[in-house]
Amino acid sequence: MKFAIRIDPVWRPLLLVGGATRDNSYVEFTDAGARFRFGLLFDRLVPYSDIKAVFPRSWPFLYGIGWRSNLRGVIGLVGSYHDVVEVRLKQKARRAWGIFPLDRLGVSLEEPERFVY
């Protein structure tokens, strides 16, 4: 099952710089786990056994759009300030981009209600 990352039209030109398009920005449930892909800059498989919780969350304007990190564990894959879901991991995973800690993923989705429930 594949869930498209929501990218609002106003942000499409900005996100295209990182290669994010509707075709390559999604969360996909595979046999091995949940694959998070956002353009050319983020592609990670998270085993289901590493996922602790999934729930809707807010994404304030100050957090920004695109590939984001709060430097304390949250990685944002966000193309919209609306319909953001958080995937919380059981423990810190291998660092995102080799630099940033990762224990929570915030993802804006086209159908967040289907993803969460």
Side-chain angles (χ1 to χ4, degrees), residues 5-16 20 22 65 79-82 110:
I5 290 181
R6 179 177 173 165
I7 300 175
D8 291 341
V10 68
W11 305 118
R12 284 185 187 141
L14 171 73
L15 297 173
L16 196 55
R22 286 190 51 81
I65 293 289
S80 174
Y81 289 107
H82 305 286
E110 292 284 336

Side-chain angles (χ1 to χ4, degrees), residues 15-32:
L15 297 173
L16 196 55
V17 171
T21 66
R22 286 190 51 81
D23 293 334
N24 67 7
S25 300
Y26 55 83
V27 179
E28 182 177 25
F29 294 143
T30 69
D31 291 339

Side-chain angles (χ1 to χ4, degrees), residues 9-105:
V10 68
W11 305 118
R12 284 185 187 141
L14 171 73
L15 297 173
L16 196 55
V17 171
T21 66
R22 286 190 51 81
D23 293 334
N24 67 7
S25 300
Y26 55 83
V27 179
E28 182 177 25
F29 294 143
T30 69
D31 291 339
R35 180 182 182 199
F36 295 83
R37 175 135 192 237
F38 193 34
L40 301 174
L41 300 179
F42 195 91
D43 190 356
R44 176 168 295 207
L45 182 70
V46 176
Y48 297 120
S49 61
D50 291 351
I51 296 174
K52 179 179 182 177
V54 178
F55 52 88
R57 68 161 292 165
S58 65
W59 194 264
F61 183 76
L62 292 175
Y63 286 12
I65 293 289
W67 301 262
R68 316 303 296 171
S69 173
N70 71 351
L71 306 176
R72 296 183 318 237
V74 175
I75 297 295
L77 308 174
V78 181
S80 174
Y81 289 107
H82 305 286
D83 297 329
V84 177
V85 170
E86 179 171 308
V87 177
R88 187 164 291 178
L89 306 181
K90 291 180 181 176
Q91 59 189 10
K92 288 216 187 292
R94 188 171 43 93
R95 293 182 177 264
W97 303 292
I99 301 169
F100 303 108
L102 169 60
D103 64 0
R104 291 171 284 161
L105 283 158

